[in-house]
Amino acid sequence: MIIASADMMLVSRSIRLAICLVVCVGLLEQGVHVNAKPFETKASQCGYQSCNKARTDALNVHLVPHSHDDVGWLKTVDQYFTGTKTNIQRANVNAIISSVVLALKENPERRFIQVETAFFHQWWSEQNDATKKTVHELVENGQLQFTGGAWSMNDEAAVHYQAVIDQFTFGLKFLNETFGECARPMVGWQIDPFGHSSEMASIFAHMGYDGVFFARVDWRDKMERLNNKKADMIWQGSNKLGASSNIFTSLLYNHYSAPSGFCFDVLCQEDPIVTDERNSEYNFKSKVENFNNFIRSQASHYKTNNIIITMGDDFNYQDAVSYYRNMDKLIEGFKLWPQKFRDQDINLFYSTPACYVKAVNDAVNSNDIELPLETYDFFPYASDYNSYWSGYYTSRPASKRSEKSSSNLLQIHKQLATFTRNAGEDEIVQMQKSVGIMQHHDAITGTEKQHVANDYARIMDEAFKDSEMKINGYISKLLSSNSSQQISLNLKQCLLKNETICAESTSDTFTVVVYNPLVHKTKYPVRFPVNSLNFAITGPNDESVNYQISDSIAFEEGKENGNQYELTFIAELDALGLKVYNVKKSSTVGYEMDKPTTDACKCKLGGIARGVNIDSSTGLLESVTINGKELKVRQELLYYLSAQGDNSEFSKRSSGAYIFRNLNGTVAQQMSDKVEFTTYKGEIYDEIHQVFGDWAKQTIRVYHDEGVNDNIEFEWYVGPIPVDDEQGKEVISRFTTELETGRDFYTDSNGREMIHRIRDFRPTYTYTNEEPIAGNYHPVTAQITITDGTTRLSVLNDRSQGGTSLESGQVEVMVHRRMLRDDAFGVGEALNEKDGDQGLKVRGRHYLTITTPETQIIERRLANRISMEPWVFFDSTSDVSNLSLKKEFTALKQTSNSVDEVVKLLTLEPILSHKSTLLIRLENFCDWDDKKQVTVNLEDFFVNFDIMTLEEVNLAGNILKDRLAWNQYPSVKTSNIKDSFEVTLKPFEIKTFKAIVNYKSSLY
């Protein structure tokens, strides 16, 4: 994905798509001859020792050959790999990797970086032994260097830290098992995500990386950094974790493209280097001079005697031999006609990002050079005055919810596989691949073509089904009373519950199995569609379970398989626990659904400690009481009119998949003068149904049970957004209070640390306010908060969205978008999602909570319940009454069932099944108390197995290693726990372990 700088007209996300003739290579050249050195097998010499050496007395120009290969964008993942659908884009990753391997064999000086493990894994599986041997040699001598190494190059705004850690662990595990330590990436390569999060920097640091590179920051920020030689920096990813989250960071000078005139791929329309002086097209010396001019321009903006020049672009190196032979000539030309920069020789050579980091590190430490310290993040990203890339925070909201659910289910799949002996790491691969693909910066972002979005949905759907089948086996085994006679359940997930569709829950008799992936007991509202009012529900001990039924806001008359009602009961779940409930339709008329009313006397829902008041004259929320604290709050669904320009100049930019831009001079619009509402009251919850218009509804729900009532639930149902007026619209939920919060608000960084935002302000450059709404939108992965210092109001969400605070005491979150124009950044389609012949309808939830500085744990606890939500399965075909079935299971021993409330079991998964090896991550999510240190003893923790050995590893699951030290910043030496079962976690710390376990044979 290519962009120009702000002083150039940015019209499209240009990919060089011109179909060029493939020029035959290998012909004998006359005149100046550049030799290709023969490839020789060397002993393993990878890592920094494999770097072509930089000189201390020269300007070192690191040429970095690379190809940026999107894991889906204009074409699907498989189309990109195979090269099909050339009418859309000429891109063939299979050919790229194969071509690069051949080119690297020609000359041992050549280098290449491979980034996306998803593609490399697919390519590797198709290679013969001879090719694999060659690739092993290339990896071991440092010519082929893995950079990044995750399954995909993930986005940094819409992703959750747990999914990012998972997809890195998955990709790096494959590389390590295939090539060993030589394949371990030393730096991150985040060159195309549309802005960069501080949590991502912290993740890289704690995974043991020495540096990270990116290209997309606000155009004003980039100008400021280049003008002041601050493009190379030390980035502290976490204020809470301090120096351990420091990482060297480099902002690329020329996006990630080759300098103009020096792209030598078949996709390019630029002249090759002609070295024969007798040829009328001879250009050798002028090419060297032009490249030298580019070097001089770039070098003047960097502090050390090293610069990095990217030689590549999107899907480059489909004819790698041609590209490399031209670069060989360029390097040779600088030897034939030596060039200088400020009295220094220019030393031009093949390199990698990791080798650049090492060279800069040597220069900084040897010459006492001070690099600037960055402590903020790089959101929102703007590529010109009017183009803020804050629309993709919300684009394709249904897909974003599916991604969140798939990551949630992956944790459950991994945990249950771990509890079930012989369920190895291969059992979870399909869902791991799906989650890895969906983190890609054109997948979770919603910035792909529609047919690619459909393919992402297919990938997720197949992974859901695969997990469902395997989890069915795990649960059947765990709930079997007799290990010699395992039961066989037929569990389904009912993934269309939000559309009021679930065949299993409309049966006369069915079983509900609920699993809690948290290490704390929890009460969870189980909610599903039904077509009747009278049921008998029994719990694990045959106890009667109360339930409540109300109308579904998503029900539509005439919808096939749709159900009018939704039933809710509260499941009380043990930590890492399963519970079985039996549900049977009853012929006895015993349940009377509360009749809806708009009576003013019924405009107060809930009780004294928690509840809501509705203004009967407007139908809008008037005040809330949460955690015993009352606050005036007005909440409403509104919409912005989308800007619709022709993109011919900055001021005519359209809102689109990437860009959020409201129609110039307009504010959020009301949907109607008065909101119609009805109220329902019951034993489990009270709720109000609001109708904002034909295409926007909402339920505000207050639970009575103390275990689930630390928030007010807002369930919105929006769509199809009308466009018959030929006008795009972007829908928000806005909360307005009397809190005096000024310009300040807080948003989470990938679900972890809260980042302080100030409206109309950036800490690292002078902000200009051409887009006062879009320019203040920030990614909200989990939470947005305002506070007056005493009272905190937070809105938590069930998927990634964009949000802001445009006025003191106000919060808004965008929930849905529909446009009729493309924003001209490459997708070539308007973001106009449809379901059949009408616009897409989306259903989601916000959770409103009120806390104080002393009770912030409520926010964190709620965020964890949302990201690690209990999972509900249905079985309408098994006769559970005739099965030898346990109705309950917990994986935690009683002695460990009171884990400190700030501890999260982030990961529990099998990684080497034949050796009974598990990966365990524990997190202390306390970020409000610097003294909240906790200890967890894992020796007698789990029911199904005993931990025999425990070894601490880094966040990615690799062995701990010291990272490069930078002279003016404190270095943090690694220290690990080994064979001690007591794990101490500092506030906000995550620790990762490999554990060898002994399964208890008596349980299987």
Side-chain angles (χ1 to χ4, degrees), residues 701-720:
R701 188 173 295 120
V702 183
Y703 286 99
H704 301 309
D705 194 297
E706 290 187 3
V708 291
N709 63 9
D710 52 9
N711 66 91
I712 306 294
E713 187 177 296
F714 292 76
E715 187 172 31
W716 44 267
Y717 184 56
V718 175

mmCIF file with all atom_site columns, all heavy atoms in Angstrom, residues 701-720:
data_model
loop_
_atom_site.group_PDB
_atom_site.id
_atom_site.type_symbol
_atom_site.label_atom_id
_atom_site.label_alt_id
_atom_site.label_comp_id
_atom_site.label_asym_id
_atom_site.label_entity_id
_atom_site.label_seq_id
_atom_site.pdbx_PDB_ins_code
_atom_site.Cartn_x
_atom_site.Cartn_y
_atom_site.Cartn_z
_atom_site.occupancy
_atom_site.B_iso_or_equiv
_atom_site.pdbx_formal_charge
_atom_site.auth_seq_id
_atom_site.auth_comp_id
_atom_site.auth_asym_id
_atom_site.auth_atom_id
_atom_site.pdbx_PDB_model_num
ATOM 1   N N   . ARG A 1 701 ? -30.425 -2.314  29.394 1.00 0.00 ? 701 ARG A N   1
ATOM 2   C CA  . ARG A 1 701 ? -30.747 -3.438  30.288 1.00 0.00 ? 701 ARG A CA  1
ATOM 3   C C   . ARG A 1 701 ? -30.016 -3.284  31.614 1.00 0.00 ? 701 ARG A C   1
ATOM 4   O O   . ARG A 1 701 ? -28.818 -3.009  31.658 1.00 0.00 ? 701 ARG A O   1
ATOM 5   C CB  . ARG A 1 701 ? -30.362 -4.743  29.600 1.00 0.00 ? 701 ARG A CB  1
ATOM 6   C CG  . ARG A 1 701 ? -30.796 -6.012  30.296 1.00 0.00 ? 701 ARG A CG  1
ATOM 7   C CD  . ARG A 1 701 ? -30.499 -7.238  29.428 1.00 0.00 ? 701 ARG A CD  1
ATOM 8   N NE  . ARG A 1 701 ? -31.292 -7.222  28.199 1.00 0.00 ? 701 ARG A NE  1
ATOM 9   C CZ  . ARG A 1 701 ? -30.776 -7.212  26.979 1.00 0.00 ? 701 ARG A CZ  1
ATOM 10  N NH1 . ARG A 1 701 ? -29.467 -7.229  26.806 1.00 0.00 ? 701 ARG A NH1 1
ATOM 11  N NH2 . ARG A 1 701 ? -31.573 -7.203  25.911 1.00 0.00 ? 701 ARG A NH2 1
ATOM 12  N N   . VAL A 1 702 ? -30.757 -3.496  32.701 1.00 0.00 ? 702 VAL A N   1
ATOM 13  C CA  . VAL A 1 702 ? -30.201 -3.441  34.055 1.00 0.00 ? 702 VAL A CA  1
ATOM 14  C C   . VAL A 1 702 ? -30.440 -4.788  34.721 1.00 0.00 ? 702 VAL A C   1
ATOM 15  O O   . VAL A 1 702 ? -31.590 -5.200  34.930 1.00 0.00 ? 702 VAL A O   1
ATOM 16  C CB  . VAL A 1 702 ? -30.870 -2.334  34.902 1.00 0.00 ? 702 VAL A CB  1
ATOM 17  C CG1 . VAL A 1 702 ? -30.220 -2.256  36.276 1.00 0.00 ? 702 VAL A CG1 1
ATOM 18  C CG2 . VAL A 1 702 ? -30.817 -0.999  34.191 1.00 0.00 ? 702 VAL A CG2 1
ATOM 19  N N   . TYR A 1 703 ? -29.370 -5.497  35.052 1.00 0.00 ? 703 TYR A N   1
ATOM 20  C CA  . TYR A 1 703 ? -29.493 -6.769  35.748 1.00 0.00 ? 703 TYR A CA  1
ATOM 21  C C   . TYR A 1 703 ? -29.606 -6.524  37.249 1.00 0.00 ? 703 TYR A C   1
ATOM 22  O O   . TYR A 1 703 ? -28.990 -5.610  37.795 1.00 0.00 ? 703 TYR A O   1
ATOM 23  C CB  . TYR A 1 703 ? -28.295 -7.671  35.456 1.00 0.00 ? 703 TYR A CB  1
ATOM 24  C CG  . TYR A 1 703 ? -28.315 -8.254  34.063 1.00 0.00 ? 703 TYR A CG  1
ATOM 25  C CD1 . TYR A 1 703 ? -27.556 -7.696  33.040 1.00 0.00 ? 703 TYR A CD1 1
ATOM 26  C CD2 . TYR A 1 703 ? -29.107 -9.365  33.768 1.00 0.00 ? 703 TYR A CD2 1
ATOM 27  C CE1 . TYR A 1 703 ? -27.578 -8.220  31.757 1.00 0.00 ? 703 TYR A CE1 1
ATOM 28  C CE2 . TYR A 1 703 ? -29.138 -9.895  32.489 1.00 0.00 ? 703 TYR A CE2 1
ATOM 29  C CZ  . TYR A 1 703 ? -28.371 -9.321  31.491 1.00 0.00 ? 703 TYR A CZ  1
ATOM 30  O OH  . TYR A 1 703 ? -28.406 -9.843  30.225 1.00 0.00 ? 703 TYR A OH  1
ATOM 31  N N   . HIS A 1 704 ? -30.378 -7.383  37.912 1.00 0.00 ? 704 HIS A N   1
ATOM 32  C CA  . HIS A 1 704 ? -30.578 -7.229  39.352 1.00 0.00 ? 704 HIS A CA  1
ATOM 33  C C   . HIS A 1 704 ? -29.516 -7.945  40.176 1.00 0.00 ? 704 HIS A C   1
ATOM 34  O O   . HIS A 1 704 ? -29.205 -7.520  41.288 1.00 0.00 ? 704 HIS A O   1
ATOM 35  C CB  . HIS A 1 704 ? -31.958 -7.763  39.750 1.00 0.00 ? 704 HIS A CB  1
ATOM 36  C CG  . HIS A 1 704 ? -33.095 -7.078  39.056 1.00 0.00 ? 704 HIS A CG  1
ATOM 37  N ND1 . HIS A 1 704 ? -33.220 -5.711  39.015 1.00 0.00 ? 704 HIS A ND1 1
ATOM 38  C CD2 . HIS A 1 704 ? -34.167 -7.572  38.362 1.00 0.00 ? 704 HIS A CD2 1
ATOM 39  C CE1 . HIS A 1 704 ? -34.310 -5.384  38.333 1.00 0.00 ? 704 HIS A CE1 1
ATOM 40  N NE2 . HIS A 1 704 ? -34.893 -6.501  37.916 1.00 0.00 ? 704 HIS A NE2 1
ATOM 41  N N   . ASP A 1 705 ? -28.979 -9.033  39.673 1.00 0.00 ? 705 ASP A N   1
ATOM 42  C CA  . ASP A 1 705 ? -28.030 -9.842  40.431 1.00 0.00 ? 705 ASP A CA  1
ATOM 43  C C   . ASP A 1 705 ? -26.724 -9.070  40.637 1.00 0.00 ? 705 ASP A C   1
ATOM 44  O O   . ASP A 1 705 ? -26.171 -8.496  39.705 1.00 0.00 ? 705 ASP A O   1
ATOM 45  C CB  . ASP A 1 705 ? -27.748 -11.157 39.689 1.00 0.00 ? 705 ASP A CB  1
ATOM 46  C CG  . ASP A 1 705 ? -27.057 -12.174 40.574 1.00 0.00 ? 705 ASP A CG  1
ATOM 47  O OD1 . ASP A 1 705 ? -25.930 -11.895 41.008 1.00 0.00 ? 705 ASP A OD1 1
ATOM 48  O OD2 . ASP A 1 705 ? -27.645 -13.239 40.818 1.00 0.00 ? 705 ASP A OD2 1
ATOM 49  N N   . GLU A 1 706 ? -26.222 -9.082  41.860 1.00 0.00 ? 706 GLU A N   1
ATOM 50  C CA  . GLU A 1 706 ? -25.020 -8.320  42.172 1.00 0.00 ? 706 GLU A CA  1
ATOM 51  C C   . GLU A 1 706 ? -23.798 -8.798  41.401 1.00 0.00 ? 706 GLU A C   1
ATOM 52  O O   . GLU A 1 706 ? -22.843 -8.055  41.211 1.00 0.00 ? 706 GLU A O   1
ATOM 53  C CB  . GLU A 1 706 ? -24.732 -8.394  43.690 1.00 0.00 ? 706 GLU A CB  1
ATOM 54  C CG  . GLU A 1 706 ? -25.742 -7.624  44.517 1.00 0.00 ? 706 GLU A CG  1
ATOM 55  C CD  . GLU A 1 706 ? -25.359 -7.569  45.985 1.00 0.00 ? 706 GLU A CD  1
ATOM 56  O OE1 . GLU A 1 706 ? -24.266 -8.093  46.313 1.00 0.00 ? 706 GLU A OE1 1
ATOM 57  O OE2 . GLU A 1 706 ? -26.130 -7.025  46.776 1.00 0.00 ? 706 GLU A OE2 1
ATOM 58  N N   . GLY A 1 707 ? -23.811 -10.043 40.945 1.00 0.00 ? 707 GLY A N   1
ATOM 59  C CA  . GLY A 1 707 ? -22.661 -10.564 40.228 1.00 0.00 ? 707 GLY A CA  1
ATOM 60  C C   . GLY A 1 707 ? -22.520 -10.064 38.805 1.00 0.00 ? 707 GLY A C   1
ATOM 61  O O   . GLY A 1 707 ? -21.458 -10.206 38.195 1.00 0.00 ? 707 GLY A O   1
ATOM 62  N N   . VAL A 1 708 ? -23.577 -9.479  38.250 1.00 0.00 ? 708 VAL A N   1
ATOM 63  C CA  . VAL A 1 708 ? -23.523 -9.020  36.857 1.00 0.00 ? 708 VAL A CA  1
ATOM 64  C C   . VAL A 1 708 ? -24.000 -7.582  36.696 1.00 0.00 ? 708 VAL A C   1
ATOM 65  O O   . VAL A 1 708 ? -24.221 -7.124  35.576 1.00 0.00 ? 708 VAL A O   1
ATOM 66  C CB  . VAL A 1 708 ? -24.390 -9.937  35.943 1.00 0.00 ? 708 VAL A CB  1
ATOM 67  C CG1 . VAL A 1 708 ? -23.769 -11.296 35.827 1.00 0.00 ? 708 VAL A CG1 1
ATOM 68  C CG2 . VAL A 1 708 ? -25.824 -10.026 36.446 1.00 0.00 ? 708 VAL A CG2 1
ATOM 69  N N   . ASN A 1 709 ? -24.084 -6.862  37.813 1.00 0.00 ? 709 ASN A N   1
ATOM 70  C CA  . ASN A 1 709 ? -24.712 -5.545  37.712 1.00 0.00 ? 709 ASN A CA  1
ATOM 71  C C   . ASN A 1 709 ? -23.747 -4.394  37.955 1.00 0.00 ? 709 ASN A C   1
ATOM 72  O O   . ASN A 1 709 ? -24.156 -3.330  38.391 1.00 0.00 ? 709 ASN A O   1
ATOM 73  C CB  . ASN A 1 709 ? -25.883 -5.447  38.700 1.00 0.00 ? 709 ASN A CB  1
ATOM 74  C CG  . ASN A 1 709 ? -25.409 -5.578  40.142 1.00 0.00 ? 709 ASN A CG  1
ATOM 75  O OD1 . ASN A 1 709 ? -24.218 -5.567  40.401 1.00 0.00 ? 709 ASN A OD1 1
ATOM 76  N ND2 . ASN A 1 709 ? -26.338 -5.704  41.052 1.00 0.00 ? 709 ASN A ND2 1
ATOM 77  N N   . ASP A 1 710 ? -22.470 -4.589  37.649 1.00 0.00 ? 710 ASP A N   1
ATOM 78  C CA  . ASP A 1 710 ? -21.535 -3.484  37.810 1.00 0.00 ? 710 ASP A CA  1
ATOM 79  C C   . ASP A 1 710 ? -21.517 -2.582  36.582 1.00 0.00 ? 710 ASP A C   1
ATOM 80  O O   . ASP A 1 710 ? -20.636 -1.764  36.409 1.00 0.00 ? 710 ASP A O   1
ATOM 81  C CB  . ASP A 1 710 ? -20.124 -4.006  38.109 1.00 0.00 ? 710 ASP A CB  1
ATOM 82  C CG  . ASP A 1 710 ? -19.663 -5.043  37.095 1.00 0.00 ? 710 ASP A CG  1
ATOM 83  O OD1 . ASP A 1 710 ? -20.363 -5.231  36.076 1.00 0.00 ? 710 ASP A OD1 1
ATOM 84  O OD2 . ASP A 1 710 ? -18.608 -5.663  37.317 1.00 0.00 ? 710 ASP A OD2 1
ATOM 85  N N   . ASN A 1 711 ? -22.527 -2.753  35.713 1.00 0.00 ? 711 ASN A N   1
ATOM 86  C CA  . ASN A 1 711 ? -22.610 -1.943  34.506 1.00 0.00 ? 711 ASN A CA  1
ATOM 87  C C   . ASN A 1 711 ? -24.059 -1.886  34.030 1.00 0.00 ? 711 ASN A C   1
ATOM 88  O O   . ASN A 1 711 ? -24.903 -2.667  34.464 1.00 0.00 ? 711 ASN A O   1
ATOM 89  C CB  . ASN A 1 711 ? -21.720 -2.512  33.405 1.00 0.00 ? 711 ASN A CB  1
ATOM 90  C CG  . ASN A 1 711 ? -22.202 -3.873  32.920 1.00 0.00 ? 711 ASN A CG  1
ATOM 91  O OD1 . ASN A 1 711 ? -22.997 -3.976  31.972 1.00 0.00 ? 711 ASN A OD1 1
ATOM 92  N ND2 . ASN A 1 711 ? -21.747 -4.950  33.562 1.00 0.00 ? 711 ASN A ND2 1
ATOM 93  N N   . ILE A 1 712 ? -24.320 -0.950  33.129 1.00 0.00 ? 712 ILE A N   1
ATOM 94  C CA  . ILE A 1 712 ? -25.591 -0.881  32.410 1.00 0.00 ? 712 ILE A CA  1
ATOM 95  C C   . ILE A 1 712 ? -25.314 -1.299  30.978 1.00 0.00 ? 712 ILE A C   1
ATOM 96  O O   . ILE A 1 712 ? -24.373 -0.816  30.360 1.00 0.00 ? 712 ILE A O   1
ATOM 97  C CB  . ILE A 1 712 ? -26.205 0.534   32.437 1.00 0.00 ? 712 ILE A CB  1
ATOM 98  C CG1 . ILE A 1 712 ? -26.339 1.057   33.879 1.00 0.00 ? 712 ILE A CG1 1
ATOM 99  C CG2 . ILE A 1 712 ? -27.535 0.554   31.705 1.00 0.00 ? 712 ILE A CG2 1
ATOM 100 C CD1 . ILE A 1 712 ? -27.309 0.299   34.742 1.00 0.00 ? 712 ILE A CD1 1
ATOM 101 N N   . GLU A 1 713 ? -26.120 -2.202  30.461 1.00 0.00 ? 713 GLU A N   1
ATOM 102 C CA  . GLU A 1 713 ? -25.887 -2.752  29.130 1.00 0.00 ? 713 GLU A CA  1
ATOM 103 C C   . GLU A 1 713 ? -26.728 -2.006  28.099 1.00 0.00 ? 713 GLU A C   1
ATOM 104 O O   . GLU A 1 713 ? -27.940 -1.838  28.266 1.00 0.00 ? 713 GLU A O   1
ATOM 105 C CB  . GLU A 1 713 ? -26.240 -4.235  29.136 1.00 0.00 ? 713 GLU A CB  1
ATOM 106 C CG  . GLU A 1 713 ? -25.903 -4.986  27.869 1.00 0.00 ? 713 GLU A CG  1
ATOM 107 C CD  . GLU A 1 713 ? -26.221 -6.467  28.003 1.00 0.00 ? 713 GLU A CD  1
ATOM 108 O OE1 . GLU A 1 713 ? -25.589 -7.137  28.840 1.00 0.00 ? 713 GLU A OE1 1
ATOM 109 O OE2 . GLU A 1 713 ? -27.123 -6.940  27.287 1.00 0.00 ? 713 GLU A OE2 1
ATOM 110 N N   . PHE A 1 714 ? -26.079 -1.575  27.021 1.00 0.00 ? 714 PHE A N   1
ATOM 111 C CA  . PHE A 1 714 ? -26.749 -0.909  25.903 1.00 0.00 ? 714 PHE A CA  1
ATOM 112 C C   . PHE A 1 714 ? -26.595 -1.804  24.678 1.00 0.00 ? 714 PHE A C   1
ATOM 113 O O   . PHE A 1 714 ? -25.488 -1.957  24.153 1.00 0.00 ? 714 PHE A O   1
ATOM 114 C CB  . PHE A 1 714 ? -26.131 0.461   25.630 1.00 0.00 ? 714 PHE A CB  1
ATOM 115 C CG  . PHE A 1 714 ? -26.374 1.473   26.714 1.00 0.00 ? 714 PHE A CG  1
ATOM 116 C CD1 . PHE A 1 714 ? -25.669 1.420   27.912 1.00 0.00 ? 714 PHE A CD1 1
ATOM 117 C CD2 . PHE A 1 714 ? -27.316 2.477   26.553 1.00 0.00 ? 714 PHE A CD2 1
ATOM 118 C CE1 . PHE A 1 714 ? -25.894 2.344   28.919 1.00 0.00 ? 714 PHE A CE1 1
ATOM 119 C CE2 . PHE A 1 714 ? -27.550 3.405   27.552 1.00 0.00 ? 714 PHE A CE2 1
ATOM 120 C CZ  . PHE A 1 714 ? -26.844 3.338   28.745 1.00 0.00 ? 714 PHE A CZ  1
ATOM 121 N N   . GLU A 1 715 ? -27.682 -2.385  24.243 1.00 0.00 ? 715 GLU A N   1
ATOM 122 C CA  . GLU A 1 715 ? -27.635 -3.267  23.077 1.00 0.00 ? 715 GLU A CA  1
ATOM 123 C C   . GLU A 1 715 ? -28.264 -2.539  21.897 1.00 0.00 ? 715 GLU A C   1
ATOM 124 O O   . GLU A 1 715 ? -29.471 -2.296  21.862 1.00 0.00 ? 715 GLU A O   1
ATOM 125 C CB  . GLU A 1 715 ? -28.381 -4.565  23.367 1.00 0.00 ? 715 GLU A CB  1
ATOM 126 C CG  . GLU A 1 715 ? -28.233 -5.591  22.267 1.00 0.00 ? 715 GLU A CG  1
ATOM 127 C CD  . GLU A 1 715 ? -28.810 -6.946  22.657 1.00 0.00 ? 715 GLU A CD  1
ATOM 128 O OE1 . GLU A 1 715 ? -29.779 -6.985  23.437 1.00 0.00 ? 715 GLU A OE1 1
ATOM 129 O OE2 . GLU A 1 715 ? -28.285 -7.961  22.171 1.00 0.00 ? 715 GLU A OE2 1
ATOM 130 N N   . TRP A 1 716 ? -27.436 -2.174  20.935 1.00 0.00 ? 716 TRP A N   1
ATOM 131 C CA  . TRP A 1 716 ? -27.892 -1.392  19.790 1.00 0.00 ? 716 TRP A CA  1
ATOM 132 C C   . TRP A 1 716 ? -28.102 -2.294  18.578 1.00 0.00 ? 716 TRP A C   1
ATOM 133 O O   . TRP A 1 716 ? -27.434 -3.310  18.407 1.00 0.00 ? 716 TRP A O   1
ATOM 134 C CB  . TRP A 1 716 ? -26.908 -0.261  19.475 1.00 0.00 ? 716 TRP A CB  1
ATOM 135 C CG  . TRP A 1 716 ? -25.459 -0.653  19.511 1.00 0.00 ? 716 TRP A CG  1
ATOM 136 C CD1 . TRP A 1 716 ? -24.607 -0.559  20.564 1.00 0.00 ? 716 TRP A CD1 1
ATOM 137 C CD2 . TRP A 1 716 ? -24.700 -1.218  18.434 1.00 0.00 ? 716 TRP A CD2 1
ATOM 138 N NE1 . TRP A 1 716 ? -23.365 -1.031  20.233 1.00 0.00 ? 716 TRP A NE1 1
ATOM 139 C CE2 . TRP A 1 716 ? -23.386 -1.443  18.923 1.00 0.00 ? 716 TRP A CE2 1
ATOM 140 C CE3 . TRP A 1 716 ? -24.991 -1.552  17.114 1.00 0.00 ? 716 TRP A CE3 1
ATOM 141 C CZ2 . TRP A 1 716 ? -22.372 -1.989  18.136 1.00 0.00 ? 716 TRP A CZ2 1
ATOM 142 C CZ3 . TRP A 1 716 ? -23.984 -2.096  16.315 1.00 0.00 ? 716 TRP A CZ3 1
ATOM 143 C CH2 . TRP A 1 716 ? -22.699 -2.311  16.832 1.00 0.00 ? 716 TRP A CH2 1
ATOM 144 N N   . TYR A 1 717 ? -29.031 -1.905  17.750 1.00 0.00 ? 717 TYR A N   1
ATOM 145 C CA  . TYR A 1 717 ? -29.364 -2.670  16.539 1.00 0.00 ? 717 TYR A CA  1
ATOM 146 C C   . TYR A 1 717 ? -29.580 -1.657  15.430 1.00 0.00 ? 717 TYR A C   1
ATOM 147 O O   . TYR A 1 717 ? -30.592 -0.950  15.399 1.00 0.00 ? 717 TYR A O   1
ATOM 148 C CB  . TYR A 1 717 ? -30.622 -3.512  16.789 1.00 0.00 ? 717 TYR A CB  1
ATOM 149 C CG  . TYR A 1 717 ? -31.004 -4.427  15.646 1.00 0.00 ? 717 TYR A CG  1
ATOM 150 C CD1 . TYR A 1 717 ? -30.112 -5.370  15.144 1.00 0.00 ? 717 TYR A CD1 1
ATOM 151 C CD2 . TYR A 1 717 ? -32.275 -4.362  15.086 1.00 0.00 ? 717 TYR A CD2 1
ATOM 152 C CE1 . TYR A 1 717 ? -30.468 -6.217  14.111 1.00 0.00 ? 717 TYR A CE1 1
ATOM 153 C CE2 . TYR A 1 717 ? -32.651 -5.217  14.048 1.00 0.00 ? 717 TYR A CE2 1
ATOM 154 C CZ  . TYR A 1 717 ? -31.733 -6.138  13.569 1.00 0.00 ? 717 TYR A CZ  1
ATOM 155 O OH  . TYR A 1 717 ? -32.097 -6.990  12.536 1.00 0.00 ? 717 TYR A OH  1
ATOM 156 N N   . VAL A 1 718 ? -28.604 -1.563  14.514 1.00 0.00 ? 718 VAL A N   1
ATOM 157 C CA  . VAL A 1 718 ? -28.581 -0.476  13.532 1.00 0.00 ? 718 VAL A CA  1
ATOM 158 C C   . VAL A 1 718 ? -28.520 -1.042  12.116 1.00 0.00 ? 718 VAL A C   1
ATOM 159 O O   . VAL A 1 718 ? -27.702 -1.916  11.818 1.00 0.00 ? 718 VAL A O   1
ATOM 160 C CB  . VAL A 1 718 ? -27.369 0.455   13.780 1.00 0.00 ? 718 VAL A CB  1
ATOM 161 C CG1 . VAL A 1 718 ? -27.274 1.505   12.687 1.00 0.00 ? 718 VAL A CG1 1
ATOM 162 C CG2 . VAL A 1 718 ? -27.477 1.110   15.150 1.00 0.00 ? 718 VAL A CG2 1
ATOM 163 N N   . GLY A 1 719 ? -29.364 -0.537  11.256 1.00 0.00 ? 719 GLY A N   1
ATOM 164 C CA  . GLY A 1 719 ? -29.347 -0.921  9.850  1.00 0.00 ? 719 GLY A CA  1
ATOM 165 C C   . GLY A 1 719 ? -30.720 -1.378  9.381  1.00 0.00 ? 719 GLY A C   1
ATOM 166 O O   . GLY A 1 719 ? -31.595 -1.689  10.193 1.00 0.00 ? 719 GLY A O   1
ATOM 167 N N   . PRO A 1 720 ? -30.905 -1.451  8.076  1.00 0.00 ? 720 PRO A N   1
ATOM 168 C CA  . PRO A 1 720 ? -29.975 -0.963  7.059  1.00 0.00 ? 720 PRO A CA  1
ATOM 169 C C   . PRO A 1 720 ? -29.927 0.573   7.031  1.00 0.00 ? 720 PRO A C   1
ATOM 170 O O   . PRO A 1 720 ? -30.980 1.217   6.986  1.00 0.00 ? 720 PRO A O   1
ATOM 171 C CB  . PRO A 1 720 ? -30.541 -1.519  5.754  1.00 0.00 ? 720 PRO A CB  1
ATOM 172 C CG  . PRO A 1 720 ? -32.005 -1.715  6.030  1.00 0.00 ? 720 PRO A CG  1
ATOM 173 C CD  . PRO A 1 720 ? -32.123 -2.054  7.480  1.00 0.00 ? 720 PRO A CD  1
#
